[in-house]
Amino acid sequence: MPSANMPAGAQAREAPPADAAIQRAVDQAYAKFKGVMEGENASYIPYLAKADPKLYGIAVVTADGKVFKAGDSAQEFPVESIAKVFTLARVLKDQGPDAVMAKIGVNATGQPFNSVLAIELNNDKLTGSPPAGNPLVNAGAIAAASLVPGADVTARWRTVLDTASSFAGRTLALNQDVYQSEMASNQHNQAIALLLQSYDHLYADPMATVDLYTRECSYNVSAVDLATMGATLANGGTNPVSHKAVVDGATSARVLAVMATAGLYNTTGEWLFKVGLPGKSGVGGGILAVAPGKLAIGVYSSRLDAAGNSVRGQLAVQSIAEALDLNLFAVAK
């Protein structure tokens, strides 16, 4: 039962599994799946296509700030769609949940992450969502980026990066090669932004917003960074390593809810069925999973399945979640 002194909206923090059990689960997942080379690098972004598929890193950070790792856990890679989680957290903090539900939506679209059809179906009121759908698909993430405050795109970018850095507990940096590569080939996202504007569901200049969204997907992280960022959500919005309050507990809970329903593209239902944790993937090869009140798992491995999710990342997270009994829907043993 929550303490009477707990702030409103804060998450009750449970004791994470024992340190030795966590490290053992991490080591076992690393050893078991190190040889898995199924899947392919993302080919439509040249930088990602060239990523070394042998690199494989796992990190776990607990809600009380302990760090466990194996393999290439310090290897940096582009965050890609996982960034949507932390921009959503900032927009929720600034705008509030009612604005996010009205201006973006929170339901899974049932369509690919870059779908234009989903926008049309939502706008025609064939679903219960606004046109953008939810903040973890491209349309919703572009809409969320348009809600970030600032006098110009540089100021808004600083807000996005500072927020992500606070979640990570260190200063993150833009990968210029990825940003330039994606800016040269983001016509589809430009079209999404213009379509949203035509339906009055974009809230800033379309091209500046796509620029901001592209930068957002192009900063570098490591598996340790992802686990720390997720552990901040697990800890009710306070970074357990830096001890800095980034968002409040109610915001963290809402972010985790959207991750649970839309975090792994079209296979989110399968993920939740097998793993039982809110998660988010990115085509850069990262996967983040959060056990609220306990810990977060970050994995990097560049080879993806057909849906755009890291093959080894999914296997590693499921293995760790099973070893530590983290499934939110399972009765405690």
Side-chain angles (χ1 to χ4, degrees):
M1 179 178 294
S3 165
N5 297 321
M6 183 179 295
Q11 297 171 346
R13 193 174 80 190
E14 302 176 30
D19 294 358
I22 296 174
Q23 189 62 59
R24 183 166 57 250
V26 169
D27 291 340
Q28 288 175 346
Y30 179 75
K32 185 174 182 179
F33 304 114
K34 185 177 181 180
V36 173
M37 296 299 284
E38 297 173 8
E40 301 289 341
N41 286 9
S43 60
Y44 54 91
I45 301 171
Y47 185 96
L48 300 183
K50 296 185 295 183
D52 184 350
K54 295 179 182 177
L55 294 172
Y56 174 38
I58 304 174
V60 168
V61 177
T62 64
D64 57 1
K66 295 176 182 176
V67 181
F68 305 86
K69 51 194 176 181
D72 302 302
S73 60
Q75 174 67 38
E76 293 193 348
F77 58 92
V79 66
E80 295 296 341
S81 284
I82 303 175
K84 298 170 182 175
V85 169
F86 306 103
T87 301
L88 167 61
R90 180 57 188 248
V91 171
L92 273 168
K93 178 182 178 181
D94 292 343
Q95 297 271 332
D98 291 342
V100 168
M101 290 181 69
K103 294 180 177 181
I104 302 173
V106 293
N107 289 324
T109 68
Q111 301 292 328
F113 68 94
N114 60 352
S115 174
V116 173
L117 175 61
I119 300 172
E120 297 284 10
L121 292 173
N122 290 337
N123 188 66
D124 289 340
K125 305 297 184 277
L126 299 179
T127 75
S129 298
N134 74 72
L136 301 187
V137 296
N138 286 16
I142 290 168
S146 76
L147 291 168
V148 174
D152 55 27
V153 70
T154 300
R156 292 160 62 202
W157 164 237
R158 179 50 52 193
T159 296
V160 167
L161 190 62
D162 285 351
T163 299
S165 296
S166 293
F167 272 100
R170 73 178 185 96
T171 301
L172 301 175
L174 182 70
N175 185 319
Q176 286 285 351
D177 290 341
V178 174
Y179 167 63
Q180 295 296 339
S181 176
E182 295 193 19
M183 280 297 292
S185 58
N186 65 3
Q187 291 81 7
H188 191 87
N189 284 336
Q190 293 176 32
I192 286 174
L194 290 169
L195 183 59
L196 290 173
Q197 183 190 44
S198 75
Y199 292 145
D200 296 324
H201 276 269
L202 196 77
Y203 311 103
D205 176 77
M207 295 305 103
T209 298
V210 172
D211 186 314
L212 176 62
Y213 169 71
T214 306
R215 296 189 203 197
E216 171 189 318
C217 293
S218 301
Y219 60 79
N220 277 346
V221 292
S222 66
V224 172
D225 290 329
L226 286 185
T228 305
M229 296 164 93
T232 302
L233 293 171
N235 193 38
T238 296
N239 187 308
V241 178
S242 71
H243 308 294
K244 178 179 179 179
V246 186
V247 294
D248 61 20
T251 295
S252 294
R254 291 184 174 106
V255 170
L256 292 171
V258 178
M259 290 171 64
T261 55
L264 269 80
Y265 307 124
N266 291 18
T267 61
T268 301
E270 295 175 22
W271 166 268
L272 202 61
F273 185 85
K274 292 188 292 186
V275 180
L277 294 175
K280 185 70 190 86
S281 64
V283 296
I287 280 196
L288 168 65
V290 180
K294 294 181 179 178
L295 53 80
I297 308 164
V299 184
Y300 170 61
S301 178
S302 65
R303 288 183 179 264
L304 313 176
D305 64 15
N309 305 314
S310 171
V311 174
R312 278 194 297 201
Q314 293 176 87
L315 293 170
V317 171
Q318 183 174 356
S319 174
I320 294 168
E322 289 175 351
L324 300 178
D325 295 323
L326 297 176
N327 190 317
L328 295 178
F329 307 104
V331 177
K333 295 180 180 177

